[in-house]
Amino acid sequence: MLDIRRIREEPETIAAALARRGVDPDALEEVRALDARRRELITEGDELRAVQKQRSREIGGAGSPQEREALIAEVKKVSARLDELEPAQREAEEALEAALAVLPNLPHPEAPEGEEEDDAVELSAFGARPAFDFAVRDHVELGEALGIIDIPRGVKVSGSRFAFLLGHAVLLEFALVRYALDRLAPEGFTPVIPPVLTREEPLYGTAFLPTGAEQIYAVERDELYLVGTSEVPLAGLHAEEILDEADLPVRYAGFSTCFRREAGTYGKDTRGIFRVHQFDKVEMFSFCLPERSEEEHARLRDLQVDLLSGLGLHGRVVDIAVGDLGASAARKYDCEVYLPGQDAYRELTSASNCTDYQARRLRARYRDAEGENVLLHTLNGTAIAVGRTIIALLETHQRADGTVAVPEALQPHLGTEVLA
RNA sequence: GGAGGCGUGGCCGAGCGGACGAAGGCAGCGGUCUUGAAAACCGCCAGGCACCUCGCGUGUCUCGAGGGUUCGAAUCCCUCCGCCUCCGCCA
């Protein structure tokens, strides 16, 4: 959610920033008109309510029966007018809220121009690109041969884009999770297992709703939703709260299963487990001071690089183009890891700085030195997307005989040096 | 799922139709005192929105949520939600 006061005070600046993301200036104009209407109704309503309260008190203070009757008659008139006004006020507020809710965050001034994935700007690279003197297999071939990924049976049980992980793949998952949590703990990230079914509020707060509803599994009967990332419950953790400045930044490493409908991705990444409806992920989430969020964003990015390169993976960091940002993000860095099976760099992790956009929706604030309540900044970044990391590990560390070397960092957790 | 009880500010807890956004206490913050600390004493201490003479300003809304009665509701009525106790069921 954008700051309505800023929209009021510097509409041209906001319009220009949103234009970079392709937002129609008319949408902003509508917001301004709705805001004006709302404020008009609030002013009128507040004045009437003030009269109503004042007169009601006077009635209590006695007077003659005649005075009393006259006052009651007057108040009734005011109340009648308010009965008309209040629904109008509520509608105006809801209309403004709805119009404001669909506007995305303002992009960071340095976020690259562009509409799509290809417009991302490469910032850096990490790890050595793997070289093979044999025909590489992809993770499906490797996983099936090793008996650790079973896609046909996943489809049998749950439909397309579902799979079973078995044996070493499961141990690999737990090793990866432990590896990530161990790396993050000294950085101040508290491990969290959040609820994966949430109410509507946290989804709205993180801006997965109302835009993006088609990506979310809904349990309608109970008015709950399956989250697509633990970003949702982690953001909700401090919703409606006012944190102490001394406690900031507050960092969490959430482990959860993630559910995504992947609507509109027919035909995209249909092979293997790259794009599935259910996967597990360790997610970093930070609540921090506004003036520290850029620094925090760089920290999340660097941790991602550290985690991936620590697994012997090769990839690059890209700065996502403004047109390709999620609604909440002002800026986003992705780590794209080289997957030998696809001979391509694919997104394994992503870190977003959502500035105060989510915090405003969530009402997550802190009290500053002057005693003012100020919106926090929120950031989220993948620590380990388990499924995709397994893909990268299998494909990167495969050997001519179809076995896979286990990176040193995982060996203690996995108890083996090779998957065979 | 059944029966009963309860939902008030960061916490505890009064208030049960008229000046209540709400006594009192605790915690917190500032100050006096002190070499320092403690104690004692004094003061401050919920959030949202709107407005303006932008001030430690004015108004308005919020006592689980929503609706109703009334000139007036934290207080009365209805519905819902949550928590606690007991019973049932289940892992």
Side-chain angles (χ1 to χ4, degrees):
Chain A
M1 190 85 76
L2 298 179
D3 182 359
I4 186 63
R5 280 170 222 164
R6 253 197 93 192
I7 292 177
R8 218 180 273 156
E9 284 157 18
E10 36 185 325
E12 310 80 17
T13 312
I14 307 291
L18 287 178
R20 293 182 65 207
R21 303 191 55 155
V23 174
D24 185 343
D26 290 349
L28 201 63
E29 275 315 302
E30 189 190 348
V31 164
R32 294 182 63 199
L34 289 167
D35 176 48
R37 165 89 178 136
R38 164 178 152 271
R39 289 188 294 150
E40 225 169 74
L41 290 167
I42 286 174
T43 302
E44 189 180 353
D46 279 3
E47 282 167 1
L48 286 170
R49 274 182 287 268
V51 172
Q52 185 187 43
K53 281 179 75 166
Q54 180 54 36
R55 293 292 177 271
S56 287
R57 282 176 194 145
E58 290 169 12
I59 293 166
S64 68
Q66 289 87 338
E67 281 175 60
R68 205 182 142 81
E69 286 311 312
L71 281 170
I72 290 177
E74 187 188 345
V75 174
K76 279 192 165 168
K77 259 163 61 183
V78 173
S79 299
R81 174 73 187 121
L82 273 172
D83 284 342
E84 296 169 11
L85 211 62
E86 277 169 353
Q89 185 181 328
R90 199 161 36 240
E91 280 162 32
E93 280 175 350
E94 281 165 9
L96 173 64
E97 172 93 12
L100 207 48
V102 296
L103 294 179
N105 200 358
L106 303 180
H108 188 284
E110 286 164 42
E113 293 301 328
E115 295 280 305
E116 51 196 76
E117 219 177 314
D118 297 342
D119 295 317
V121 172
E122 182 170 338
L123 297 178
S124 63
F126 56 87
R129 179 162 168 150
F132 302 93
D133 52 9
F134 56 88
V136 297
R137 301 173 174 89
D138 74 2
H139 73 280
V140 178
E141 296 172 87
L142 291 162
E144 284 181 351
L146 291 167
I148 63 173
I149 299 175
D150 189 337
I151 295 167
R153 291 197 178 94
V155 172
K156 175 174 73 179
V157 169
S158 299
S160 66
R161 294 202 191 281
F162 283 95
F164 281 90
L165 294 184
L166 308 97
H168 273 134
V170 174
L171 300 183
L172 202 48
E173 156 145 0
F174 291 143
L176 283 166
V177 169
R178 191 57 201 254
Y179 163 73
L181 293 179
D182 286 352
R183 176 68 186 86
L184 263 21
E187 309 284 339
F189 290 84
T190 303
V192 183
I193 295 180
V196 293
L197 276 168
T198 73
R199 299 173 189 271
E200 185 180 341
E201 284 80 2
L203 283 155
Y204 178 82
T206 45
F208 288 100
L209 285 178
T211 327
E214 71 288 347
Q215 291 303 333
I216 302 169
Y217 286 103
V219 183
E220 284 175 28
R221 195 174 151 179
D222 297 293
E223 292 184 59
L224 290 170
Y225 300 84
L226 281 161
V227 301
T229 162
S230 48
E231 171 190 347
V232 174
L234 292 177
L237 192 54
H238 291 302
E240 320 266 346
E241 293 186 14
I242 300 169
L243 304 182
D244 285 340
E245 184 169 350
D247 295 334
L248 300 173
V250 175
R251 300 189 177 111
Y252 295 108
F255 168 77
S256 82
T257 300
C258 306
F259 302 91
R260 300 186 180 180
R261 294 190 64 240
E262 296 296 346
T265 61
Y266 314 112
K268 198 171 163 189
D269 299 315
T270 51
R271 182 165 169 83
I273 61 166
F274 187 84
R275 188 178 298 279
V276 284
H277 289 307
Q278 176 192 328
F279 61 95
D280 295 334
K281 180 156 66 75
V282 176
E283 179 83 358
M284 301 179 279
F285 196 95
S286 301
F287 294 90
C288 75
L289 291 173
E291 60 270 30
R292 291 285 173 78
S293 68
E294 289 194 30
E295 178 190 321
E296 187 73 5
H297 195 199
R299 174 191 299 266
L300 296 186
R301 180 194 63 206
D302 294 347
L303 278 167
Q304 294 179 326
V305 169
D306 200 52
L307 284 161
L308 293 170
S309 49
L311 295 172
L313 300 175
H314 160 66
R316 61 191 186 195
V317 180
V318 299
D319 197 349
I320 298 300
V322 288
D324 199 28
L325 292 170
S328 293
R331 195 174 197 183
K332 179 161 90 162
Y333 302 125
D334 280 4
C335 287
E336 298 180 340
V337 167
Y338 178 71
L339 301 182
Q342 294 188 22
D343 188 26
Y345 288 86
R346 300 301 308 270
E347 177 189 336
L348 243 66
T349 68
S350 175
S352 297
N353 182 357
C354 298
T355 63
D356 63 7
Y357 186 85
Q358 292 182 330
R360 185 169 293 107
R361 292 171 163 239
L362 295 160
R363 268 149 293 145
R365 294 153 293 169
Y366 75 98
R367 198 180 312 281
D368 72 11
E370 281 79 52
E372 291 294 309
N373 298 324
V374 183
L375 292 169
L376 291 158
H377 277 198
T378 61
L379 302 99
N380 64 82
T382 321
I384 289 286
V386 174
R388 289 189 180 185
T389 305
I390 289 176
I391 293 173
L393 287 173
L394 294 179
E395 296 187 359
T396 299
H397 299 306
Q398 65 180 297
R399 296 160 161 177
D401 63 357
T403 62
V404 175
V406 174
E408 214 171 300
L410 298 180
Q411 289 173 11
H413 298 122
L414 205 58
T416 179
E417 293 173 18
V418 62
L419 305 184

